[in-house]
């Protein structure tokens, strides 16, 4: 049973496109949710936390549906620099807890 | 902007040798973690550390692994007798808040076991 499951990708999109990533998690008690971005052979970098009410940061919008145990990330007006692997990450309980990572979805934005 | 640092960036070792990977977490953070990522696979949790002791460890973190905070700034991961399957990227992370649990990662150490 995969704890955090993501679209396998890769997604190849033209510049300016809107792209959406989906993620499901198996532990209904999970407390915190994140999207991280990982460039090739680099560390995961926090893109945004995901809140129950949904949240937006510039071109990026994240949504959480606790009932369906589903998280999404929408990227509008894709840039070449958005090309990376997007990791869905879940914190299974509150407090000092390890993060549980999905395998990631690779995005390539093409000129 | 404060960041997590790790040394070395790349370590090559022979099977059976001991390696020590070093991390300097962000200075006001109190919670520290080691993760690893085998090439082409997902990031996996190894161990968490708080108040000079291990908080939690995964099945991967067996007796060959140990962690230490030898002084006020460094946080180390030791692998006593490396195996071929220990070859991976090892990431250190830290957080200041158990409420948000937003963890910030260092650039990683690429460990190659020959």
């Amino acid at each position: 049973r995969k704890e955090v499951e993501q679209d396998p990708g890769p997604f190849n999109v033209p510049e300016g496109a809107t792209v959406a990533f989906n993620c499901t998690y198996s532990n209904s008690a999970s407390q915190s949710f994140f999207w991280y971005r990982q460039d090739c052979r680099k560390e995961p970098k926090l893109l945004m936390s995901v809140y129950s009410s949904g949240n937006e940061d510039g071109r990026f919008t994240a949504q959480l549906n606790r009932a369906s145990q589903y998280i999404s990330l929408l990227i509008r007006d894709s840039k070449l620099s958005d090309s990376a692997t997007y990791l869905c990450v879940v914190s299974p309980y509150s407090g000092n807890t390890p993060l549980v990572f999905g395998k990631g979805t690779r995005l390539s934005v093409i000129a | 902007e404060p960041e997590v640092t790790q040394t070395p960036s790349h370590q090559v070792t022979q099977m059976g040798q001991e390696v020590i990977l070093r991390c300097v977490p962000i200075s006001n953070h109190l919670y520290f973690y080691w993760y690893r990522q085998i090439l082409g696979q997902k990031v996996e949790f190894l161990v968490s550390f708080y108040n000079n002791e291990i908080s939690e460890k995964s099945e991967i973190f067996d007796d060959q692994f140990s962690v230490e905070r030898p002084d006020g700034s460094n946080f180390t991961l030791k692998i006593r007798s490396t195996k071929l399957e220990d070859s991976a990227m090892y990431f250190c992370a830290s957080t200041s808040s158990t409420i948000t649990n937003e963890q910030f990662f260092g650039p990683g150490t690429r460990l190659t076991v020959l």
Side-chain angles (χ1 to χ4, degrees):
Chain A
R1 185 190 73 185
K2 292 182 183 175
E3 294 183 76
V4 178
E5 202 157 347
Q6 297 186 238
D7 286 347
F11 285 43
N12 300 312
V13 303
E15 268 187 294
T18 295
V19 61
F21 302 133
N22 304 313
C23 166
T24 56
Y25 58 95
S26 59
N27 183 350
S28 59
S30 296
Q31 295 290 317
S32 304
F33 309 89
F34 311 92
W35 285 100
Y36 278 74
R37 168 200 169 120
Q38 186 174 31
D39 293 288
C40 190
R41 300 189 174 230
K42 301 283 190 181
E43 76 272 26
K45 291 194 171 168
L46 179 63
L47 184 64
M48 56 200 304
S49 300
V50 187
Y51 305 117
S52 296
S53 54
N55 47 303
E56 188 173 308
D57 182 2
R59 298 182 293 107
F60 299 84
T61 301
Q63 297 277 348
L64 168 65
N65 184 322
R66 282 187 185 270
S68 303
Q69 295 176 213
Y70 171 92
I71 308 161
S72 65
L73 176 69
L74 186 77
I75 305 176
R76 287 181 299 280
D77 188 24
S78 301
K79 313 285 184 202
L80 295 176
S81 56
D82 293 334
S83 297
T85 297
Y86 289 83
L87 308 175
C88 179
V89 182
V90 171
S91 189
Y93 40 91
S94 61
N96 173 21
T97 79
L99 299 177
V100 180
F101 284 77
K103 208 170 172 190
T105 302
R106 178 148 183 169
L107 172 66
S108 290
V109 182
I110 304 159
Chain B
E1 186 176 316
E3 55 186 25
V4 177
T5 59
Q6 289 186 242
T7 54
S9 56
H10 192 187
Q11 173 93 47
V12 181
T13 190
Q14 295 289 327
M15 193 167 57
Q17 295 296 303
E18 174 183 286
V19 295
I20 297 176
L21 311 183
R22 292 183 167 78
C23 168
V24 179
I26 294 171
S27 63
N28 64 338
H29 287 189
L30 299 176
Y31 306 90
F32 315 124
Y33 308 83
W34 282 102
Y35 293 83
R36 79 169 186 194
Q37 186 176 30
I38 294 170
L39 188 63
Q41 297 189 25
K42 65 181 180 179
V43 177
E44 300 174 288
F45 167 73
L46 293 177
V47 65
S48 58
F49 192 85
Y50 168 70
N51 200 26
N52 281 322
E53 57 184 34
I54 290 174
S55 309
E56 188 171 345
K57 56 186 181 180
S58 72
E59 297 171 346
I60 304 168
F61 194 88
D62 62 22
D63 292 344
Q64 293 301 311
F65 291 87
S66 62
V67 289
E68 197 177 36
R69 189 154 161 84
D71 54 43
S73 59
N74 288 287
F75 177 49
T76 62
L77 175 70
K78 183 193 290 187
I79 309 175
R80 255 181 282 284
S81 177
T82 49
K83 304 192 260 299
L84 295 175
E85 55 265 37
D86 293 329
S87 295
M89 280 289 283
Y90 287 81
F91 295 111
C92 173
S94 68
T95 185
S96 62
S97 169
T98 57
I99 296 173
T100 68
N101 203 22
E102 290 179 346
Q103 296 181 19
F104 296 91
F105 285 72
T109 293
R110 177 171 303 283
L111 177 65
T112 302
V113 182
L114 302 176

